[in-house]
Amino acid sequence: MPGIPLIDIAPLVAAEPGRHAVAAEIGRACREDGFFYVVGHGVDENLQRRLEEHSRAFFAQPVERKLEIRMSLGGRAWRGYFPPGDELTSGRPDLKEGVYFGAELPPDHPSVRAGAPLHGPNLFPTHPAALRPTVLEYLAAMTTLGHTLMRGIALSLNLEEDYFADHYTADPLILFRIFNYPRAATPPPDSWGVGEHTDYGLLTILKQDDTGGLQIRSTSGWLDATPIPNSFVCNIGDMLDRLTAGHYRSTPHRVLPPSTKDRLSYPFFFDPNPAADITPVAQRALAPTPRWDHTDPHDFPGTYGDYLLTKIGKVFPHLSRDVL
C-alpha cells in the first residue's frame, strides 16, 4: 500500500462518459486499500469553511453550554453532544468530544411516529445559531455526493448504475458527526483520539482539517492519511465488505491524539436503509481476514438495522437503553 489513491470524480459528478474510468479507479482502491481521496466532488468550499468556523465556535464554549444539547436529551434519535471520554471504541474511551446529527425528520414522519431508532429531529445549539442551517445544507450536499459515489461503486462492480439506490439507499440512513480532538501534549499511555476500528455501513466520507492524525492499517503497518485541501477521504464499511463478499475491504483505521492544536473532523456515513437485508452480490472467494474485535460482518443474520444496533450499544453503553 504505497499511498492512498487520489481520484478526481468530476466525470462521475457530471455523469460524463469518463465516469466509467473513474469507477474503475474507485474499484481498484476498494480492492487494494479500502480508502481513497476524492477531489472534483462539487461540494462548495465556502460551505465547508462555514461549517468549520461554526464548529470551532461551538466547541470553544464552556462545557455547560455544550451540554445543553447532550445526547441524553436526544432519546431514540441518537443525536446531540458528548464530552471527551464518553464515546468508547472497542471498550476504551476516545480522547474526543463531538455532536451526533442525522437526517432532519419532523415529528409526524412515519419512522419517527413508529419510534424507529436513529430517526428524528436533531439537537442544535442556540450558539452559534448559524450552525443549524450550515449543518442541514452540508447534509444535503453530502447525501448527493453519497449517491454519486455509490453509482461509481456500482459501475466498478459491473452492476447497473442505480443498483444501490434501487436495493439499499433510496432512503439511506444518514449519520453525521462533528468531532473535536482536544490538543494533548502528553496523552495518557496507550490512548487514542479514536482506537482501531472499521466503520459499520456502506461508505464513509470524511472532511478533515489540516491537523492530520488519521491512520490506516496497511499490510506494511500504519499509514498516515495526510490532509489534502478540498478533498474528502472515503472508506468503505463492513456492509460493502459484506455485499462484495470480501472483495472490497473494510480497512481498520484509528486517530492519533493531536499534540499541537485541536483537530476537527467531519465523518459522514452513507448507509443502507435499516430495513435492508444485506445480500452479497458476489461469491466469497477470500479467506476471512482476522479482525481486532474477533467478529465477522459476513456472518450475521437479519437486516442492516439489526447489525447496527448491536454495534452502537457498545459505543455509549450508558445511553443504549434509550435506543435499543
Side-chain angles (χ1 to χ4, degrees), residues 58-59 66-67 69-71 79-87 94-101 176-182 264-265 267 316:
F58 172 77
F59 288 118
K66 292 181 280 192
L67 286 170
I69 59 164
R70 59 193 178 275
M71 287 189 71
R79 313 289 168 85
Y81 170 78
F82 68 89
D86 262 26
E87 185 170 75
D94 294 334
L95 298 182
K96 70 176 187 294
E97 59 182 335
V99 191
Y100 274 41
F101 298 100
F176 175 52
R177 318 292 189 231
I178 301 178
F179 290 145
N180 180 55
Y181 298 82
L264 285 175
S265 75
F316 292 99

Side-chain angles (χ1 to χ4, degrees), residues 28-248:
R28 187 179 308 112
C30 291
R31 288 190 301 273
E32 297 178 358
D33 309 302
F35 272 79
F36 53 95
Y37 296 95
V38 296
V39 294
H41 46 70
V43 178
D44 182 61
E45 287 188 76
N46 181 58
L47 170 60
Q48 297 180 59
R49 284 193 294 269
R50 285 188 282 119
L51 180 65
E52 185 167 338
E53 173 189 345
H54 301 322
S55 300
R56 292 195 186 279
F58 172 77
F59 288 118
Q61 299 179 104
V63 67
E64 294 79 9
R65 292 288 302 275
K66 292 181 280 192
L67 286 170
E68 291 174 0
I69 59 164
R70 59 193 178 275
M71 287 189 71
S72 60
L73 301 175
R76 294 177 70 81
W78 204 249
R79 313 289 168 85
Y81 170 78
F82 68 89
D86 262 26
E87 185 170 75
L88 307 182
T89 300
S90 299
R92 302 181 65 176
D94 294 334
L95 298 182
K96 70 176 187 294
E97 59 182 335
V99 191
Y100 274 41
F101 298 100
E104 179 74 359
L105 300 177
D108 61 351
H109 187 279
S111 295
V112 180
R113 288 204 313 267
L118 310 177
H119 291 73
N122 289 292
L123 298 178
F124 289 105
T126 56
H127 177 78
L131 185 63
R132 183 184 193 278
T134 302
V135 165
L136 293 178
E137 184 179 351
Y138 188 78
L139 286 172
M142 298 304 287
T143 300
T144 297
L145 179 58
H147 283 294
T148 298
L149 287 167
M150 292 310 301
R151 287 198 297 272
I153 290 172
L155 290 173
S156 78
L157 293 165
N158 296 315
L159 300 170
E160 292 295 326
E161 210 161 345
D162 292 328
Y163 178 86
F164 290 103
D166 289 344
H167 292 82
Y168 302 109
T169 60
D171 181 19
L173 180 63
I174 297 302
L175 304 172
F176 175 52
R177 318 292 189 231
I178 301 178
F179 290 145
N180 180 55
Y181 298 82
R183 181 182 71 89
T186 55
D190 299 320
S191 61
W192 300 98
V194 179
E196 181 180 353
H197 66 287
T198 56
D199 294 338
Y200 307 143
L202 283 179
L203 179 69
T204 303
I205 311 171
L206 173 72
K207 168 182 164 59
Q208 55 178 341
D209 68 8
D210 61 358
T211 305
L214 174 63
Q215 294 188 319
I216 296 154
R217 180 183 283 281
S218 72
T219 54
S220 58
W222 289 97
L223 180 70
D224 291 325
T226 304
I228 297 175
N230 198 29
S231 73
F232 294 105
V233 181
C234 299
N235 66 277
I236 66 175
D238 292 342
M239 290 304 98
L240 192 53
D241 193 318
R242 176 183 170 91
L243 276 165
T244 62
H247 293 277
Y248 286 9

Side-chain angles (χ1 to χ4, degrees), residues 299-315:
D299 198 25
F300 79 91
T303 65
Y304 175 63
D306 296 330
Y307 179 77
L308 181 61
L309 291 177
T310 66
K311 296 292 186 178
I312 64 173
K314 299 176 182 178
V315 177

